Amino acid sequence: MPTIYARHRLAALGAVAALASAATLLSGSPAQAAPPTPVSAATARTYLGQLTVAPEGSSDGYSRDKFPHWSTQSGACNTREVVLKRDGENVQQDGSCAAVSGTWKSPYDGGTWTAASDVDIDHVIPLSEAWKSGASGWTTSRREGFANDLGQPQLIAVTDNVNQAKGDKDPAKWLPPTTSYHCFYARMWVDVKQHYGLTVDSAEKSALSSILNGC
């Protein structure tokens, strides 16, 4: 039975009891976040060899506001709510499309959550990383498409604290705590960079190559 976390975590014995009670109410394992399947490891190795290697660019001029998100996808639903629905299990939404209940399992760390507020939607290629890898020269419209791309393996629901620890780091500086997910993560990373024509720096390429060679 998976451990079910709540954000009011383990502050008192009552919280522990509540967690245990919540766990008994769930049957089976919750769905793990599921972005579009990236290319295979073999294809990712080929893509990696084709990416332009260049020193990481400057952060000058960067702002998250230059990557508008979360954009409306349909009706009242924005990109965040669409991913929460896609990556969760038994997700219930209110009239504004906000997720009011459900279960989310973060593949980055194995954490399972029952409150949407405990879940971040990670940009696999962080917005700042994209800026420094070529997106600084894009139009705002293209950056918006990148920041809200549901067709590429670029968005995934994960534990908020883990996403915050990742920040804008590339795989040479940060990898998901769950080592068994490293291959899938590297495949996603390379797939998205290749799709958008973004560059890689030498340390980033070396780290990705090492992971993909072990897949």
Side-chain angles (χ1 to χ4, degrees), residues 2 6 9 24 29 32 36 47 62 77 80 84 91 94 107 111 124 150 161 163 165 167 175 189 203:
R9 328 180 171 186
T24 63
S29 298
Q32 181 168 286
Y47 282 179
Y62 169 72
C77 298
R80 173 179 165 83
L84 285 173
V91 178
D94 64 16
V124 173
L150 296 167
N161 289 353
N163 185 45
L175 288 166
W189 187 281

Side-chain angles (χ1 to χ4, degrees), residues 22-75:
T24 63
L25 295 176
L26 296 174
S27 59
S29 298
Q32 181 168 286
T37 302
V39 295
S40 68
T43 300
R45 286 192 290 269
T46 298
Y47 282 179
L48 182 60
Q50 296 170 346
L51 292 177
T52 298
V53 179
E56 197 167 77
S58 171
S59 295
D60 289 352
Y62 169 72
S63 167
R64 288 179 66 85
D65 293 340
K66 293 185 177 180
F67 292 79
H69 64 288
W70 304 107
S71 300
T72 299
Q73 293 292 336
S74 64

